[in-house]
Amino acid sequence: MIDSMPPLPPLHRFRPRLLDALQGYDRPRALADIGAGITVGVVALPLAMAFAIASGVKPEQGLITAIIAGLLISALGGSNVQIGGPAGAFIVIVYGIVERYGLANLLISTAMAGVLLFLMGLFRLGVLVRYVPLPIVIGFTNGIAVLIALSQVKDLLGLQITKMPADFFAQLYTLATHADTARLSALGIGLLSLALVVLWPKTYAMPMVKDTPATPQQKLRRYAAHVPGTVVALVVTTLLVLLLKLPVDTIGSRFGGIPQTLPSFQLPEFSWATVKLLLFPTLTIALLGAIESLLCARVADNMSDLPRHDPNQELMAQGVANFVVPFFGGIPATGTIARTVTNVRAGGTSPIAGIVHALTLLLVVLLAAPLALHIPLAALAGILMFVAWNMGEWREFSRLRKFSMHYRVILLGTFVLTVVFDLTVAVEVGLLLACVFFIVRMSELFRVEPQAAAQAAALPPGVQVFEMFGPLFFGAVGKVEALQHQVLPGTHTLVLDWHRLISLDTSGLDALEQLLRVLRKRQVRLVLARVNEQPLSLMRRAGFDMHLGTENIVPNVAAAFASAAPRPAAG
């Protein structure tokens, strides 16, 4: 009789980490979180605008996303320190969706992706995201980094291109045909911005000084390091553009500035026909958002001694944020590694820091939005070039020769497909390749070997013993089918020692039934010895133990020799 189905696992309880973090919350932690939140808010300001512009939308949409999604992800999430908002990983995806389906449909896709993310967390699927193979993650991350850098060439060089296409080769062609419109002033501003971001002192790179007083230079570098390099780059380049009246594109010249108010709640037009059209964009946003947020949370866990994140609660928070943000004109949001790392290194200890970061951005929008009019787009392009470089795992390409061919094919295949086609195709093909290579590797682990010659010499006449190793599953059934050809003439009993057979699936069981049928026609008895729990459970549930005969399932090989005369099972 087939065993009853096990009960379904319970739904994940919705409990934000903020509730636990506030227990025993004191003044020192509050001051540390406020300081970290303000620091992250300042860092997020240029990034939010840069990500939005690179995604083909207005800069205020990036700020809206950083404020609303950042607040919701911190308040409802499952991590103490994760910071949410617009991310570089979404640039290529969002740009492609806007070009192909329009902004209104991007908002609908984002909201639907939010629903999927929430359901993933509710049904405890957060752990499944961790099963995405590492070469796929590295491949699409590096591919996205290349596409981000390519998308910034236009503003970095000041090329006079009305609209950039979304296709990789079309982008290369457009850039090449407009190369003669480059402006040295824009290139200079972009390179200066990039240099300032790269060379500006970083707080996490400051050496610890013990027992000896710091020199004036060391003190100055420490003070300077508390000001993010991205902010320094924006201030310096903006002043240069204003003072020298350089002919470069700015936020004001292209977008007309940033409103000093938050947008009102608006419902986008919705229909089932639109939902069907946006299936793949929705899945792409949800998949990438889940992977990025949980990878970011794992990075944060490794950097601090705080409690580890709850992946399912984090997905539910990401879902709520992505569902709400589109109704205010925002774009997809996820956990952001750069801002989360900044939060940890600035001393953030609880979700309060993330909430303060969102409120800091809100204050900037309400009070200082007009100042953004003169920010040169070339400066933002330089910042994004730095983001793209830091985003990629470039060393993995030089280390490929140390890994297997399977690893290389998956990583390079995912990378190329991400660049040439899109992320959805890359991840689908990457997962398919990973599954195929996994099946091949597992099938190689399964072996069928005759008993050692010394032991075989002591066997009774007409008895053969084979040992099986590893998992007997659909990828290894060919080795079982070939076993019938190794049965010698005059054999009346075939013993299979299953002590090292770790698992059996239904395809393996079917191959065993086929072997039993062939052996019975040849009047050969099949005996299974030392059967482990999982294979035995499957055979019982399928009724194979009765078909084989329970007397032919024995505790050890010696028990198979109890009857010396041939005794085939009844047909």
Side-chain angles (χ1 to χ4, degrees), residues 37-49 59-60 63-64 66-67 231 234-235 251 258-262 355-373 375:
I38 294 173
T39 300
V40 177
V42 173
V43 171
L45 177 65
L47 294 178
M49 291 189 293
E60 60 263 28
L63 292 172
I64 292 164
I67 293 169
V231 174
L234 289 188
V235 172
I251 288 180
I258 297 175
Q260 285 186 268
T261 58
L262 288 177
I355 294 174
V356 172
H357 133 268
L359 296 178
T360 301
L361 285 172
L362 175 61
L363 191 64
V364 171
V365 169
L366 296 178
L367 299 180
L371 299 178
L373 283 172
I375 294 176

Side-chain angles (χ1 to χ4, degrees), residues 5-18:
M5 292 292 293
L8 294 174
L11 300 178
H12 190 76
R13 185 179 64 155
F14 188 86
R15 182 176 175 81
R17 179 60 58 85
L18 178 63

Side-chain angles (χ1 to χ4, degrees), residues 418-438:
T418 300
V419 172
V420 176
F421 293 97
D422 60 52
L423 179 66
T424 306
V425 174
V427 172
E428 289 174 352
V429 175
L431 287 173
L432 178 61
L433 289 174
C435 291
V436 171
F437 289 143
F438 177 77

Side-chain angles (χ1 to χ4, degrees), residues 51 54-56 65 85-97 106 110 113 117 144 148 281-293 318 322 331-336 391 423:
F51 291 153
S55 301
T65 305
F90 276 125
I91 289 176
V92 179
I93 305 302
V94 172
Y95 190 87
I97 294 174
L106 167 67
T110 304
L117 284 167
I144 290 173
I148 291 174
T282 299
L283 293 176
T284 302
I285 293 173
L287 177 63
L288 183 58
I291 293 174
E292 283 290 312
S293 63
Q318 300 284 341
N322 280 284
I331 58 178
T334 185
T336 58
M391 184 178 178
L423 179 66

Side-chain angles (χ1 to χ4, degrees), residues 94-287:
V94 172
Y95 190 87
I97 294 174
V98 171
E99 285 294 301
R100 190 173 305 172
Y101 301 101
L103 179 60
N105 287 331
L106 167 67
L107 302 182
I108 295 174
S109 290
T110 304
M112 293 193 300
V115 175
L116 289 181
L117 284 167
F118 186 88
L119 293 176
M120 288 173 64
L122 182 65
F123 289 104
R124 299 177 179 268
L125 300 180
V127 68
L128 297 181
V129 177
R130 298 180 180 178
Y131 296 155
V132 177
L134 180 63
I136 293 180
V137 175
I138 294 174
F140 78 67
T141 301
N142 286 6
I144 290 173
V146 168
L147 292 174
I148 291 174
L150 182 65
S151 70
Q152 296 310 299
V153 172
K154 168 182 173 288
D155 287 331
L156 185 69
L157 298 179
L159 301 180
Q160 302 304 297
I161 301 174
T162 304
K163 198 168 190 178
M164 283 288 291
D167 180 70
F168 173 71
F169 293 109
Q171 286 185 355
L172 291 178
Y173 177 79
T174 302
L175 292 173
T177 54
H178 290 78
D180 57 340
T181 64
R183 294 176 178 175
L184 288 178
S185 55
L187 178 60
I189 289 295
L191 293 179
L192 176 61
S193 173
L194 177 60
L196 286 171
V197 174
V198 172
L199 300 177
W200 192 258
K202 313 293 191 298
T203 54
Y204 56 83
M206 292 291 103
M208 297 297 294
V209 180
K210 295 182 179 179
D211 302 327
T212 57
T215 65
Q217 288 183 342
Q218 289 175 331
K219 290 182 178 179
L220 183 60
R221 281 177 58 83
R222 286 185 178 279
Y223 290 137
H226 285 85
V227 181
T230 52
V231 174
V232 174
L234 289 188
V235 172
V236 171
T237 55
T238 301
L239 288 175
L240 283 176
V241 169
L242 286 174
L243 294 174
L244 301 179
K245 295 183 170 38
L246 298 177
V248 297
D249 290 334
T250 64
I251 288 180
S253 66
R254 183 175 296 180
F255 300 102
I258 297 175
Q260 285 186 268
T261 58
L262 288 177
S264 59
F265 182 90
Q266 291 184 348
L267 288 173
E269 294 184 8
F270 181 86
S271 67
W272 284 113
T274 304
V275 171
K276 296 176 183 178
L277 180 70
L278 299 175
L279 175 61
F280 285 108
T282 299
L283 293 176
T284 302
I285 293 173
L287 177 63

